[in-house]
Structures are given as C-alpha cells and as structure tokens.
Amino acid sequence: MNKDYEYITAQSIESGMITIPPDNFRAWKEVTDYNNHMSDLRFKKKELRLTKDSFIITDILIVFALVYSEHLFITRPVLSLILSLFYCVYIIIFPFQKRFDIVPNTAASLIWLILDIRFLVLTLFSFVVCVLYKHIDGKLRNEDGYPDFFDIELSIEDKTKK
C-alpha cells in the first residue's frame, strides 16, 4: 500500500469490502475519500486510453495528409508505396500492443524522414505523446488498486447482533 491508512487495510482493498462501527465517522470518511480517489484514478485511466487512441488516429491523419497533399506519392511513387504499406501494417499491429513504447512509435515515424524533412513534426509529435503517456502511466501504476481501481464497499457493523 502506498498510503498509510488508519482503517483501510490491504485485505480490505483486495476483498473490496470493509465493515466499520456505526459511530466511527473517521473510518467512514477515510473509505469515502479512498473511493473518491479510486474514481479519479479510473477517470485518469480512461483519459490515458483516449489519449492513446487519439494518438493513433492523429498519427495516421498526419502521415497520409503529408504524403498525399504534397504529391510525394507522385514524385517518389515506389518509396511512398513501400513506406505506406509498412506504415499500414504497423498501424494494424500497433493497437494490439500491450505497452505503449517510445522506441517503436518514434522509429515508425522516423522512417518517413526518408521522404521529406517535414515529417520531423510527426516524429516530434510521436515522441512527446509517448513520453507523456509513459509518465502518466507510471504514476497510475504506483497507485493502490492498479489496474482496476475498485471501490471499497462500506458496511456498517450491526451492534444489535451478538
């Protein structure tokens, strides 16, 4: 556990359940704060996934816009076709990668520099997005409850039963 909780234990996080006395407001507050934090982390994880998906779409649009708008396909047809086929194969394989790694993504963008120096924009874009993704993903991996960030179900101890 990353944080020191007074009432929440590793067992209660794993089981997703905790029972507290009815008059213990601090325990209720701690569990509620924990659940709010988990909700925030789930949202950040969804944002991160959206960032990755947006990167894939934007990367494809940038490449094909630069290739076809500047008539590079007409001036260097064989090289453009080979690079386009390579890139299409990479784009098909890329979404199935478990990790979002800087090296293959930047390398896939670097091959376009063979055609034109303006593809340096694409390479820089790929590199910056990958670095930001790795940074945010690293923070999320260090949080309690990774990767699912489940809430803890709170139940109140019944004092009438003995």
Side-chain angles (χ1 to χ4, degrees), residues 55-112:
F55 168 76
I56 294 168
I57 293 167
T58 307
D59 206 27
I60 294 169
L61 290 175
I62 290 173
V63 165
F64 290 109
L66 286 173
V67 167
Y68 296 112
S69 69
E70 293 298 321
H71 305 293
L72 291 173
F73 201 75
I74 295 170
T75 57
R76 297 182 187 177
V78 176
L79 185 57
S80 295
L81 183 62
I82 291 170
L83 292 177
S84 295
L85 289 174
F86 169 79
Y87 201 70
C88 286
V89 168
Y90 178 73
I91 289 300
I92 291 169
I93 294 170
F94 176 74
F96 299 109
Q97 291 179 355
K98 294 286 183 193
R99 294 175 20 175
F100 193 65
D101 204 359
I102 297 168
V103 175
N105 296 325
T106 306
S109 301
L110 276 172
I111 64 161
W112 290 103

Side-chain angles (χ1 to χ4, degrees), residues 5 7 10 21 29 36 43 54 59 76 82 85 89 93 119 121 127 154-155:
Y5 295 108
Y7 300 99
K29 176 83 168 119
N36 288 338
F43 182 74
S54 300
D59 206 27
R76 297 182 187 177
I82 291 170
L85 289 174
V89 168
I93 294 170
F119 284 101
V121 172
F127 181 75
L154 183 64
S155 60

